[in-house]
Each structure stands twice: as structure tokens, then as C-alpha cells.
Amino acid sequence: MGWTRPFELVGRGFLRVLDEAGELLLLLVQTALWLIRPPFRFRVLFKQMEFVGVKSINVVILTGAFTGGVFALQSYHGFSLFGAESLVGSTVALALTRELGPVLTSLMVTGRAGSAMAAELGTMRVTEQIDALYVMAVNPVQYLVLPRIVASIFMLPLLTIIADFVGIVGGYVVGVGLLGINSGIFIAKIVEYVEFSDISMGLIKASFFGLIMALVGCYKGFYTTGGAAGVGRSTTQAVVLASVMILGFDYVLTAIMF
Amino acid sequence: MDDYIIQLIDVHKSFGAQRVLRGLNLNIPRGRTTVIIGGSGSGKSVMLKHMIGLIRPDQGQVLVDGQNLTVMNDRQLNQVRTRFGMLFQDAALFDSMNVLDNVSFPLSEHTKKPAAEIHQVVAEKLRLVGLPGVEAKMPNELSGGMRKRVGLARAIALEPEIILFDEPTTGLDPLMSDAINRLIMGTQAELGVTSVVISHDIEGAYKIAHNVAMLYQGRIIAQGSPDQIQANPDEVVQQFIHGRAEGPIEVI
Ligand SMILES: Nc1ncnc2c1ncn2[C@@H]1O[C@H](COP(=O)(O)OP(=O)(O)OP(=O)(O)O)[C@@H](O)[C@H]1O
Ligand SMILES: [Mg+2]
């Protein structure tokens, strides 16, 4: 009997992953169906946009600025080995718009807003507030999940634009201000090498990551069981799963788009 | 006489290995107040949630006006649910909204009343539950008993045909309990509402009930008018309504 054990474990793990993927997909389909059915709750949507978007601006600015600065510093050390300091600006800009802007923004916002979604919906679940919605003939997927997902899909690209811009400014400050790269060249190389598609593809990735973050956060919260401890578990799981999925899908999307 | 608005027919429900409802049959007469009594953890709340389709039975039927809830889709269920109001055992207020938004929630969802009128209705309902002027408070600023009464105001806000009350008077002082009991009787008498009330307050139950049903070991073991229940020869019923620790029901 003993030799089948590892297979069982792997099999069971695999089934759990499939199970979870299926449920996530189901929630996504339900949400999509509600997208086209009234009532449309603009007030709830705007509140979520404010929560996901406006309230994340500070953390995104901070992340963007330091990332851009550090990246300029690192690439300057590399490029100066063969006298290519002039490429620091475009390297920073390409890395930010294509990769670091969307990914880091999404990860930071997942930590802030995705976790809060799981915690809020989880608390509503264990205190029967979700049941109360059902009782009052209001569908909780439509009332709670849909606005969070739509808001995230819209707001993450906007936050990413901020991160891209602030990051490049951060790179400029370090590259031009501290390391003495010529300002004109720094900017000229950015204009020369960064294409519109670099930016737009990055933004498309960001809205996809927004979808992942909100879907996972809502899913984990919505199916919470087990009181306060359960809410804590859902919140942690939401952040971990969403982050892993963002990184995984980042690879897939990059491979497809660029 | 056989005018039943809700019927539970051979309802079974288990959570894992725990068999909570085991072939429960119960008819709720229209326009009357039915009080459900039974031990803590015996499945009263679970039964109540079956009546509004929050929990689906493993086996059996739940009929509202003859329509089977267990086979309905979301849209049909919502239609039925608009006829109900429900007070949850722990009130289940939306903790991100103040009292005004909580009580007005069903009104703004299901009526086209202008805001001013809704505010008036909310003020009126809050007055009925003895909490005038608390509109601006958040649920976490209220005591347990106050939360329960706000939940009550929310449950009756739309003046539904059927109201399910999960322990409306638990945690209230005797005077407030009496006031809430009067409120339940009043809404029943004035509007002909059907009420299903879970209660641990036997004396209060006799007062408000037309019909008392006792849940024990997953079934309704006795049902009838307060007088009939008091005269019921079943030892389990007698032990329970007289609150004795000794008898066929094992307490600890
Ligand atoms: N969602 C659930 N998952 C697992 N078990 C549950 C669930 N809901 C209720 N139970 C179990 O079902 C039993 C009946 O619970 P219920 O809440 O209906 O009791 P009750 O009669 O309302 O008790 P009380 O008078 O204390 O409120 C309990 O033993 C409880 O553990
Ligand atoms: Mg209960």
C-alpha cells in the first residue's frame, strides 16, 4: 500500500488546484452575467474605485519612485562598465512600463486592497451579512463582487500610469541628479526606445492583474468559514494566491503580447 | 382552516456527520403567529433559514404558497424573498453602514420612494422598536439589544407579508421584551402578517403565539395553541416548558 501514498498526495493536491480554479472561474462567470443585468450600482462602484484607486496612490508613488531610482543606480553600474551610461534612461523606462510598473503596482495594491476585500467579505460572511443580502433579495455577487472587480480593472492601469511616470522621474533624479548623466540624452533615449505599445501592453497587463486581485480577494472572502480565524486565513490565502497568480500570468501575458 | 403559507415537508439537513433536521414536518398557518421553541443547538435557526431558502435541505420540500423553494433558481427565489422580512439571531446589520442606511436598505432596493419619504419610514420604524433618533449611529456603537432592535426595524421596514424572527427578545430587558412582543402582536393584528418567532421566552411565547411548535431531535414533536401545548402529556414537552433539568432531555 505504502508506495501509492506519494501519488495520492500529488493527486489530491492537483484535484484541489483544479477545484479552486473551477470555483474561481464560476465566480467570474457569475460576475460577468451580472455585468449586463440591472440595477447598475454606480454609487457602490465609485466607492470601490476610490478605495482601490485613490487610496492606493501614496503607496504606488512610493513604490514607483524607489523602484525607478534603484533601477537607475543598478543599471548605471552595469552600463558604465562598457560606457553605455546613456542607455540608463531608456532601460529604466522600458523596465518600468513593460514589467515593473504593472507588476509591482498590482502586488502592492493586492497587499492593500485585495486583502481588505477578502477580510471585508469574509467578515460579512461569518456575521451573516451576506445571508442578510440574500434575504433582502439582493444578490451579493452583484452587490459586493461586481463593483470590486470592475473598479480594480479600471483603477490598476491608472495606478500603473502613475507608477510608470513617478518611476521614470525617480530614475531621472538618480541618473541625472546624482550620477551625472546628461539630462538631454537621458530623455532622448527614452523617447527613442520606448514605444507606445510598451506602455499600452503594460496597462493591459495591469487591468488583467486587477481582475485577478479582485476576483481572488472576493472569492476567498465570499467562501470564508470558521469565524474570526477563518477571516484571517482567507485574507492571507487571498494575498498569497493573488500574488502567485499575478506573477504566473505576467509570464504568460508577456510571452503572448511582446 | 387548512390555510398554510409555509410548509416544511420531511426536511432532512446534516452538517457533515451531524444530523440536525431529521424528517421535519411543519405547517405555518397564514396570518398567524407561530412560535418555535426547542433546546439550544436543536436546529431552530437552521430550520428558519430553510423557510427563506438560505439553506437548502438535503432531502424534503419547503413550500411557500405551494411553490417549492428547493427547486427554484436565483431569480424565482428573489421574487419569493421580497415577501419576507427576517431578523437574524445576531442581527446581521451591515457594519459598514449607519443605522439609517441599514434600515432603509430594503426600502431603497425595492421601492421607488424618494429619499425624504424613506427617511420618514425609517424614523417611524425606529420609533416602533424604541430607538428614535439613532439614525446616525454605526452598528458597532450600539449595544447588543439595540442592534437586535435595529435588525427588527430593518425586517419590518418593507411591511412584508411574512416575518421570520430569530429570538427577537433574547438579550433585552423585561420591559423591552414586552414592548417587542407587543410590536409583534400589533403588526400581526393590524397587517395580518404571518410571523414565525423563535423564542426561549416561554411566557412571552404563550402571549404572542396562536400556534406553538416544539423542535426536538430534528423533528417537530408537538404543535398546537399555547393551551394545547401546556396540556401536552409528552414528558419532553413538559420538561422543556417548565424548565426542569431532570427528565428525558439530557441537559449536561
Ligand atoms: N453552517 C453550519 N455548519 C455546520 N454546522 C452548523 C451550521 N449551522 C448550524 N450548525 C449546527 O446545527 C445545529 C443547530 O444549530 P442552530 O443554530 O439551528 O441551533 P438553534 O436551535 O438555533 O440554537 P440556539 O437556540 O442556541 O440559537 C448546531 O449544533 C450547529 O452546530
Ligand atoms: Mg438559533
Side-chain angles (χ1 to χ4, degrees):
Chain A
M1 282 295 125
W3 63 275
T4 56
R5 185 95 185 115
F7 294 98
E8 270 174 42
L9 284 181
V10 171
R12 203 171 302 152
F14 183 65
L15 285 183
R16 264 213 25 233
V17 170
L18 276 190
D19 228 35
E20 190 140 89
E23 284 177 4
L24 265 178
L25 218 57
L26 208 65
L27 184 61
L28 181 62
V29 171
Q30 280 182 331
T31 312
L33 290 179
W34 277 111
L35 197 57
I36 50 174
R37 261 166 76 178
F40 304 108
R41 300 175 185 280
F42 290 106
R43 243 185 59 193
V44 189
L45 177 63
F46 288 142
K47 223 176 122 189
Q48 286 305 318
M49 285 181 150
E50 189 199 0
F51 176 69
V52 174
V54 180
K55 299 210 166 136
S56 299
I57 288 179
N58 286 339
V59 65
V60 166
I61 286 180
L62 214 65
T63 315
F66 279 103
T67 308
V70 169
F71 210 79
L73 198 59
Q74 291 280 22
S75 52
Y76 178 84
H77 287 307
F79 283 134
S80 63
L81 294 179
F82 42 92
E85 293 92 339
S86 62
L87 289 176
V88 166
S90 51
T91 306
V92 168
L94 279 175
L96 275 166
T97 52
R98 292 171 69 132
E99 207 44 57
L100 297 176
V103 171
L104 290 180
T105 301
S106 307
L107 292 179
M108 295 308 284
V109 178
T110 297
R112 221 202 111 252
S115 61
M117 289 177 192
E120 194 178 352
L121 267 60
T123 305
M124 291 186 74
R125 168 64 76 187
V126 301
T127 57
E128 296 185 317
Q129 294 175 54
I130 290 185
D131 284 340
L133 281 173
Y134 279 118
V135 164
M136 289 186 268
V138 172
N139 187 294
V141 171
Q142 188 236 14
Y143 186 77
L144 298 171
V145 180
L146 179 65
R148 284 171 172 75
I149 290 185
V150 173
S152 302
I153 290 176
F154 274 110
M155 294 321 279
L156 278 230
L158 295 182
L159 290 169
T160 300
I161 292 178
I162 296 176
D164 288 353
F165 178 75
V166 175
I168 292 171
V169 172
Y172 182 91
V173 169
V174 171
V176 176
L178 297 178
L179 302 170
I181 300 172
N182 180 292
S183 158
I185 290 179
F186 188 96
I187 293 171
K189 290 289 177 190
I190 292 180
V191 175
E192 187 180 337
Y193 285 110
V194 179
E195 304 199 357
F196 179 72
S197 67
D198 295 317
I199 300 170
S200 62
M201 296 291 181
L203 298 185
I204 291 173
K205 286 209 282 193
S207 41
F208 199 80
F209 298 157
L211 169 67
I212 292 175
M213 170 194 86
L215 183 64
V216 172
C218 290
Y219 163 75
K220 286 291 178 186
F222 202 74
Y223 294 105
T224 297
T225 53
V231 174
R233 211 174 317 124
S234 300
T235 309
T236 314
Q237 287 177 354
V239 173
V240 172
L241 181 61
S243 305
V244 169
M245 281 180 68
I246 285 173
L247 294 172
F249 275 95
D250 181 42
Y251 184 86
V252 175
L253 290 175
T254 308
I256 295 174
M257 291 195 305
F258 290 109
Chain B
M1 188 58 227
D2 287 359
D3 186 14
Y4 298 124
I5 192 162
I6 304 173
Q7 294 173 282
L8 304 183
I9 302 169
D10 191 33
V11 170
H12 290 255
K13 182 70 193 179
S14 302
F15 293 103
Q18 186 190 5
R19 294 168 64 213
V20 178
L21 303 182
R22 312 176 196 172
L24 179 141
N25 288 291
L26 175 63
N27 294 325
I28 304 293
R30 185 187 309 275
R32 304 264 135 171
T33 300
T34 301
V35 175
I36 313 289
I37 58 175
S40 191
S42 60
K44 301 181 299 296
S45 299
V46 168
M47 184 189 78
L48 204 67
K49 286 177 188 168
H50 276 83
M51 294 183 185
I52 194 167
L54 276 180
I55 301 183
R56 281 180 200 248
D58 299 333
Q59 186 190 322
Q61 296 187 333
V62 180
L63 308 183
V64 174
D65 269 337
Q67 296 174 291
N68 189 353
L69 294 193
T70 53
V71 298
M72 287 187 181
N73 62 27
D74 279 358
R75 203 181 292 211
Q76 293 165 319
L77 261 182
N78 272 350
Q79 205 109 69
V80 175
R81 281 173 180 152
T82 51
R83 299 170 56 191
F84 279 82
M86 177 166 179
L87 167 64
F88 284 82
Q89 187 162 358
D90 297 315
L93 300 180
F94 299 125
D95 50 24
S96 61
M97 299 181 188
N98 66 16
V99 170
L100 172 66
D101 290 341
N102 263 288
V103 180
S104 63
F105 190 86
L107 293 162
S108 41
E109 279 299 320
H110 297 295
T111 67
K112 295 206 167 10
K113 291 195 172 113
E117 199 175 324
I118 288 181
H119 289 191
Q120 242 169 15
V121 176
V122 171
E124 155 77 10
K125 300 298 173 197
L126 286 175
R127 200 181 50 70
L128 276 179
V129 299
L131 289 173
V134 298
E135 279 93 335
K137 287 213 187 283
M138 298 301 284
N140 64 4
E141 298 167 344
L142 302 175
S143 76
M146 290 165 85
R147 270 201 292 278
K148 187 143 246 175
R149 285 182 282 153
V150 173
L152 194 59
R154 184 175 73 179
I156 61 175
L158 270 179
E159 303 189 344
E161 267 179 87
I162 310 166
I163 314 181
L164 311 178
F165 301 92
D166 198 340
E167 303 193 10
T169 58
T170 303
L172 302 185
D173 67 64
L175 304 182
M176 191 49 73
S177 294
D178 192 53
I180 297 300
N181 281 335
R182 278 164 201 277
L183 173 65
I184 294 172
M185 287 193 287
T187 43
Q188 191 277 324
E190 281 165 36
L191 305 168
V193 171
T194 304
S195 303
V196 182
V197 184
I198 294 177
S199 182
H200 287 302
D201 167 19
I202 305 284
E203 292 307 316
Y206 293 155
K207 200 152 99 192
I208 63 174
H210 300 102
N211 183 26
V212 179
M214 175 158 172
L215 178 62
Y216 181 66
Q217 295 189 335
R219 295 194 188 87
I220 297 296
I221 58 161
Q223 185 175 0
S225 69
D227 289 339
Q228 287 169 329
I229 284 287
Q230 277 167 290
N232 192 305
D234 191 319
E235 279 180 53
V236 172
V237 176
Q238 286 302 321
Q239 185 195 347
F240 190 80
I241 61 179
H242 291 112
R244 291 191 291 256
E246 310 86 39
I249 309 177
E250 285 179 29
V251 181
I252 305 176

